[in-house]
Amino acid sequence: MNQSKLHIGFCLAPLWLQVPSAETDKTGIPPDPVDFATSLAKRAEAAKLDFVFQVDYVGILKRARKASGLAPVGLEPTVLFAAIARSTTHIGMVTTASTTFNLPYVVARQMQSLNWISNGRIGWNIVTSIEGAENFGGEPMPSAEIRYRKAAEFTDVVRRLWRSNPGNMPGKEPQSIEHQGEFFSIKGPLNVPCHASGEPLLFQAGASEIGRDFSASIANGTFAATPDMTAAIDLRSDLRRRARAHGRKAEDIKVLPGLHFFMAKTREEAVALHERAHAHLGEDYRRQSVKSVLGLDLADMPLDAKVNAAMLPSIDQPVRSRTHADLLRRFIEREEPSVAHILKRPEVVGSAHWVSVGTPQDVAEEIAEWHDAGALDGFIALPGGSPASLALFFDELVPLLQQRGLFRTEYNGSTLRDHLGVSTENDLVEL
């Protein structure tokens, strides 16, 4: 049984609220995106959460607006967190930067600057991106293999740049890194010195084979897409095994599934909330989504027809997201579900995250079950359905987890490393 306390992050993106258009004016959400994000970060800090997290998109999310009635404002997350850092004191902040659309020196400088501004509370969510190339020169997206190979070199260079300027450490002087690699040529050193708290922490979200290995090699935390507990147990076991193979300790990598919750005072109200949030996704859309995610055409199959492994297309078939495809493929191979069941899956109607629907007591029970089964080290809270569901998370769910002894009641330190229990033993090594 997992004896450790949970690590809890909170996603700031308003698209997770999924408020129907007719209710937009009743939400009480501040119209200013900075006010909105800062107010949530302050609530997360009052609840003693480990960190707040922001995804990043480099285009217009039309589907998100249709789902939520909100117009997502695409503020660059690292800039946004600079504002939040000055209004908070303890909550960690995990920002997102793509290794496909950025340069290592720029990201290294941004992250280290934000580490200073926040006094050691920063983490970098490393993404390779799956779309958006049209906004960065028009070249087609590279293959997953190339994107991850570039990400590995990019991350290595960023960490070497962080270590290239030790600041006022006795006997240490800034020194160049003289990097010549497949994708980058960088001299260094970085012009921002290391912060006393150590390097910013690293997070990653890939669940495909190549993504898992990359995450296990470098990440302090993995943002996992795990639609059910079996998938979560398999992923956590695999990542811990891979971490050991890379010379790390199994506990060096924290597995943090996204928990997309729809909560209400009664189960019936929660179920209705979940149904309303996805009512705009019709059957035709869902069938097309299965084809996009997995390459499987269900267009002519009745809802009660069973789908089995023999019906799956080749695993090498190009798909939009290998992570989502692998998750849905494993589910079909294991369960042989009906078409109707597949059309309700998170990979089809959402983003492959764990979905929990019920009262705060119901959701707390489910979290405890996953924790005791060794399926997670914590989770990323993704509020769904309504502002009332969001309020129940802070007012009832977190206190329930604290009462069970699953979550802290006070901070034990002021940095993100303190919250996640990550030492600095691997920082500032010789170049």
Side-chain angles (χ1 to χ4, degrees):
M1 178 181 293
N2 190 356
Q3 299 294 325
S4 62
K5 279 184 166 51
L6 293 165
H7 298 287
I8 303 178
F10 186 92
C11 182
L12 296 176
L15 63 93
W16 295 114
L17 288 170
Q18 291 190 292
V19 183
S21 299
E23 299 178 19
T24 303
D25 294 336
K26 304 175 185 178
T27 64
I29 296 172
D32 185 297
V34 180
D35 288 347
F36 171 76
T38 301
S39 66
L40 284 178
K42 288 181 176 180
R43 294 177 76 177
E45 184 168 78
K48 314 304 178 186
L49 302 193
D50 291 61
F51 59 87
V52 287
F53 161 65
Q54 182 67 311
V55 296
D56 189 26
Y57 298 98
V58 292
I60 298 291
L61 286 180
K62 296 180 180 179
R63 176 184 164 189
R65 179 166 188 169
K66 182 177 180 181
S68 67
L70 303 173
V73 179
L75 296 183
E76 200 283 322
T78 305
V79 175
L80 175 63
F81 277 127
I84 294 174
R86 308 309 288 180
S87 299
T88 56
T89 57
H90 284 71
I91 189 75
M93 292 167 283
V94 179
T95 186
T96 298
S98 172
T99 56
T100 299
F101 301 136
N102 286 297
L103 295 173
Y105 194 94
V106 173
V107 171
R109 191 180 185 209
Q110 286 177 329
M111 297 299 165
Q112 195 65 281
S113 297
L114 196 52
N115 212 29
W116 277 94
I117 292 170
S118 67
N119 199 24
R121 292 186 282 138
I122 291 305
W124 169 28
N125 176 39
I126 304 165
V127 298
T128 65
S129 303
I130 59 174
E131 57 191 1
E134 66 276 7
N135 294 323
F136 296 88
E139 293 294 325
M141 287 297 296
S143 67
E145 180 182 357
I146 292 175
R147 294 201 312 273
Y148 273 104
R149 202 163 68 236
K150 185 176 183 180
E153 182 180 340
F154 191 114
T155 304
D156 178 64
V157 171
V158 166
R159 297 189 75 185
R160 292 178 64 197
L161 284 168
W162 285 339
R163 298 167 184 175
S164 70
N165 188 344
N168 295 323
M169 292 183 65
K172 298 285 187 179
E173 297 290 336
Q175 53 185 296
S176 61
I177 65 172
E178 304 293 349
H179 175 81
Q180 297 288 334
E182 179 182 2
F183 299 98
F184 305 107
S185 176
I186 299 170
K187 181 179 180 179
L190 191 66
N191 64 349
V192 184
C194 286
H195 187 266
S197 66
E199 298 175 14
L201 298 189
L202 304 179
F203 295 79
Q204 220 275 323
S208 63
E209 282 297 307
I210 191 170
R212 290 184 183 200
D213 204 59
F214 177 59
S215 188
S217 69
I218 54 93
N220 302 110
T222 291
F223 295 158
T226 53
D228 54 62
M229 189 166 69
T230 299
I233 292 172
D234 290 346
L235 177 62
R236 184 168 181 262
S237 297
D238 187 43
L239 285 172
R240 289 164 70 87
R241 176 187 62 79
R242 291 173 189 254
R244 288 191 294 266
H246 283 286
R248 308 177 70 200
K249 299 174 183 176
E251 58 271 22
D252 283 348
I253 185 167
K254 305 292 191 298
V255 180
L256 308 170
L259 171 55
H260 196 186
F261 58 83
F262 296 79
M263 287 190 291
K265 291 294 186 180
T266 69
R267 293 177 187 173
E268 293 75 18
E269 290 173 323
V271 169
L273 187 67
H274 181 261
E275 290 178 350
R276 287 200 305 272
H278 298 90
H280 64 289
L281 301 177
E283 185 179 322
D284 289 343
Y285 171 87
R286 295 175 189 229
R287 289 178 184 264
Q288 184 58 42
S289 180
V290 174
K291 188 173 183 179
S292 173
V293 169
L294 193 55
L296 178 63
D297 191 350
L298 301 178
D300 299 324
M301 295 184 64
L303 291 174
D304 60 354
K306 296 289 187 179
V307 180
N308 57 47
M311 302 165 65
L312 293 172
S314 169
I315 197 170
D316 297 322
Q317 178 170 322
V319 292
R320 179 177 179 273
S321 168
R322 178 56 56 192
T323 293
H324 294 178
D326 289 348
L327 287 167
L328 192 55
R329 176 180 291 272
R330 292 189 188 106
F331 170 72
I332 291 172
E333 291 172 343
R334 186 175 68 248
E335 303 291 340
E336 297 192 357
S338 66
V339 170
H341 196 172
I342 292 174
L343 297 184
K344 294 180 180 179
R345 291 288 293 177
E347 302 96 327
V348 176
V349 301
S351 57
H353 288 296
W354 168 22
V355 177
S356 188
V357 181
T359 66
Q361 292 79 9
D362 293 332
V363 177
E365 287 286 346
E366 190 171 354
I367 292 170
E369 181 184 6
W370 282 46
H371 175 266
D372 292 347
L376 48 73
D377 296 290
F379 60 89
I380 310 297
L382 310 172
S386 72
S389 179
L390 173 65
L392 287 173
F393 171 79
F394 288 114
D395 297 341
E396 297 192 24
L397 179 60
V398 172
L400 283 171
L401 296 175
Q402 291 170 331
Q403 291 168 20
R404 288 170 171 263
L406 291 175
F407 189 61
R408 70 169 68 87
T409 56
E410 293 293 339
Y411 285 118
N412 295 318
S414 61
T415 70
L416 183 54
R417 285 179 177 272
D418 292 331
H419 306 338
L420 291 179
V422 178
S423 72
T424 59
E425 63 181 12
N426 294 321
D427 288 2
L428 299 177
V429 298
E430 294 291 338
L431 293 173

